[in-house]
Amino acid sequence: MILALPALLLTGLLAAPPAPRAIPAIQAIPAVDTSAMEPAVREQLEAARRTLEEAIQRLPAGSSSSSSELAEAFGRCGRLYALYKLNAAARACFENAARLAPADPRWAYTLGAMLQVTGDFAAAEGRLGRALELRPGDPATLIRLGEVRLQLGQTEAARQAFEAALPLAGAAAAAHFGLGRVALANGDARVAAGHFEAVLASQPGASEVRSPLALAYRRLGRLDDARSALAGYGDGRVTFPDPLLEQVAALGAGSRQLVVAGTTALRARRFAEAAEAFRKALETDPRDGTLWVGYGVALAGLRDPAGAERSYRKAIELEPANVRAHYNLGTMLAARGAGREAIEHLETAVRLDPESRDALFNLGQALAAAGEPARALDAYERLLKLSPEDPVARFQHAQTLSALGRHAEAAAELAAVVAAAPGEAAPRLAQASALLRAGRDAEARACLEEGLARLPDSEPLAQLLVRVLAASSRPEVRDGAKALGIAQRLLAAGPTAEREEALALALGELGRFAEAADHQRRALASPGPDSPDRQRRQRCLALYEHGEPCRAQGSP
Amino acid sequence: MRSLLGALLLFLFPAAPPAAPPKAAPEEVFVDRAKELGVDFVHVNGMSGRLYTPEIMGSGVALFDYDDDGDLDVFFVQGGPLGPQAGPQAAKPAAVLNHRLYRNDLVVGPHGERTLHFTDVTAESGLRLGESCRGGIGVAAGDFDNDGWTDLYVTCLGSNQLWHNNGRDAAGRVTFTEVTLKAGADDPRWSVPAAFFDYDRDGWLDLFVGNYLKFSFETARPCRTPAGAPDYCGPVPADAVPGRLLHNRGDGTFEDVTAKAGIAAEYGPALGVSTADFNGDGWIDLYVANDETPNQLWINQRNGTFKNDALLAGAGVSGEGRPQASMGVDAGDYDGDGDEDLVMDNLTGEGITLYRNDGTGLFEDVSRASGLQTPSWKLTGFGMAWLDYDNDSLLDLLVVNGAVKKIEEQARAGDPLPLRQEKQLFHNLGNGRFEEVGKPAGAVFAIPEVSRGAAFGDLDNDGDTDVVVSNNDGPARVLINQLGNRRPWLGLRLLTGKPGRDALGARVELRRLGKPPLWRRVRTDGSYASANDPRVLFGLGDTPQVERVVVHWPSGRVEAFKDVPAGTYTTLREGSGAAVP
């Protein structure tokens, strides 16, 4: 389908062709097939085309003032075509607008930006250069000019453009990014690193910069710094204010543009903006399940769980095979304790997408929370087949084994997690607990001692080690003096019930029952409900008062 | 200068479609001779109108000597009807919807004159598409059981296929048997690239299979253009599927060692794979090119495990820090410094990426400076490889293209598959830069097609590299090199073990008098979903005097061979050369 002028208008034009005009020659706008487009977009494009034709009709002979009106009409067409990536038509419109209004920087700039994207770098350089003449010192023009010149291998000219942009409002990060790459191209890694560091100081979220920064460090022989930089690598882009292109983006009509806007806003955690975009898109496409999911995610971000839940349910009603809707609803229900229904939706998500690691993980969690460790174990085992090196999945798998009383297997599994994440305290704690439950107190002690040597500031590890050293049922494992030393160091950091209790345990093991009782009373001094902790402390206090140490009944 | 009215009239009568490509000029480098050579393969993508992404991803092509008669045969991977509501293409006869094997019946006359012709031997070969494949995508070639006959691994949207080459039977026929399940080599996920390589130096070819995305007809839905028109979907990184590393047990079966080898730790939607020794330690590494997520450079730790070093090595993302589409990939020493440089093609708006190796496995993105990026910016590349098309001793680059998003002008013209783009040929200028010479090099370069697979090799054994292109939903092309062998050349086939299989991964150093050595590698992998000629072809340029050939075998052995003649292919066997300390 060709977007043609309305028949009547064309007939009129053909019957009475306009007199020669004192305006520059313009070029034809390539036809665009609008037949498959969203109705809102089609109407918008056709309206813009009509406006253009009317502007042509109104053009009086020899008038230069009307050229600007026509330029505006061409410019609007160009912006719309550019927005919808109809680049050939957009280019022709912008060319016409720029010819008709050569002093208007908007058309040269927008055309230059479009040519930059389409890879017409030499032409882009010309247009952006013209835009800069018309609007000297414009930061966005300077940044784009620098980028295009860099692409053309004109590093010195690129450097000049970026240098000029550096002090301008909002442009520093993008200018540093460009200057860093110019420096790398010139072989100056030290200067490059400085510029990339400046980008991150200005825009910490611009995580893409960490890759060239790492390359600069690498060239400087700073491999540790390079690795450290890469640890935070991601897809965060360097940005700069670009008001003219923002105006283009704001012209978008139709749900597709709203989806793009909503998705972009979601990624940036601008939930209100995202919710508004999806809400508007749903006015056009109320039967699109994906839009309902996006709307639900935005509402969840706005702390409207009821609204989010309604959205997910609507998505499932419309698209029963919408994996994301089942997954999101399942996790949301699990978080609010609706375990049974959560499990149903997560199981559906897994059935629809058997390789969804997230769904399997959350299914395992939901099943474990619902008191179904055997089924949870199955979910984790399926997850581990997909991600055998995922330490979190392995950790949960081990915890589930423990819950099933399979402590020895859990301990073995946790040893692997500890090896994979040696800097984490939780797996070591869980491993020691599993070993204690398996009756392997000596190994638990060794595990805790090794952990504390590596993570000396971990209080949970220290607390459990004191318990093992002071209260293990196995005499060969106990070491009261060592327990006392650790407990005293803990208490030195400030009194808490747990620290007082640990010290009491150690003192009790050493036969210093009066002191143990004294500290145990302090542990019990803080008010609290009758809990297992409180009952245990009272039991131990009674033992100390009778001149006996408090030993583990089973595990410490 | 046109008038306003003239412009308006053009609104009414849009420009005519592009003119037909010019006719072949006498000095064309490459000429498409598919039809006259008997290669009539037509790929069927199974498009149903529902715009399923797998429709536009196939297929690959392999060049390999299936019957061991000394010339390259051609195997094409076929697509097929997709989904429960496949379109009219599903009605095509089964014979059409099959992989195709063409036997090379090359005849060389007493004065070296060549008569090249191919015969379709699919039916007698036993190779077939099969239902469980659900549409073929790519192919890898290698002799996995060391019986001296090259086997095939076909990647599919569904279950992959390992075809064992049974060798020649009593009737003189060479047939294949599918042994996928027996060998433990299946992968039911959507796989694209695959590569055979012996990563642990045990003498048996292991197999890496790159997987792409999760896909199901039940949940698939078309994506949309910015204007809301239906279009094919791009990748969603979260839907990536991990690849698989299969260790060859040496008994005809494979063990999945993906996790054990550390490969499971990181993955993306894989589209390309290249195996080579990137850090110069003598052990074969693995480079996996992923769609719009960082690529992986798996460095062989020499103990059965790998470590991904791509980001630190500078080969994971572009110099700007951005992941790219990375469809086709190849490794080769384009700058003659003795190491493996990486090149890959990308989506429209990204251009070709060239990572130059500093010899230690650290790379620098020189895409812009090389002159490769800008001319390829508007195109979406798939099959590609380093080749010295003019035998001037410098590696050039040939890229076949085809978009993955509808091209407005073609869609408006009513093209049912509006993704057609031209091919490109880049000439290595020897100074780190390349010049695009495609259109002068052949009329075929100006024909817009939806090209995917491309396999590179010397089909007529005349000492220059030819190219076979598999076009999505269209006829294949056989690009015969017309002039490469006007310059001197030296060809090698490197065999290891008994009875001898191609020593994939071997590096060959050709020492010349008064010139730096030339380095090439025995490889079938690279390109996009395709398998190349395993032989090594050296263009000797203006220095035909060869001092000796030094082979760095994948086993770690280094041997020198003297008196290797130019102008012919010579077979070198591991263990038959002089040891080099």
Side-chain angles (χ1 to χ4, degrees), chain B residues 2 45 66 86 94 121 137 140 142-143 173 223 289 297 313 372 383 427 463 576:
Chain B
R2 281 177 285 193
N45 70 9
Y66 93 103
V121 292
I137 302 288
D143 177 10
R173 287 176 308 196
C223 292
L297 175 60
L372 288 171
H427 183 236
S576 66

Side-chain angles (χ1 to χ4, degrees), chain A residues 26 31 151 208 218 233 319, chain B residues 4 221 313 321-322 373 412:
Chain A
I26 58 170
Q151 192 70 37
E208 65 177 359
R218 194 190 77 188
Y233 171 78
E319 295 176 7
Chain B
L4 186 61
R221 45 185 298 159
R322 290 175 190 163
Q373 191 179 63
R412 196 177 65 236

Side-chain angles (χ1 to χ4, degrees), chain A residues 33 90 95 111 132 179 310 326 400 404 414 469 475 556:
Chain A
D33 179 2
E95 296 278 13
L111 177 57
L132 194 64
L179 288 167
R310 276 196 304 275
H326 283 289
T400 313
L404 287 163
L414 286 160
L469 291 169

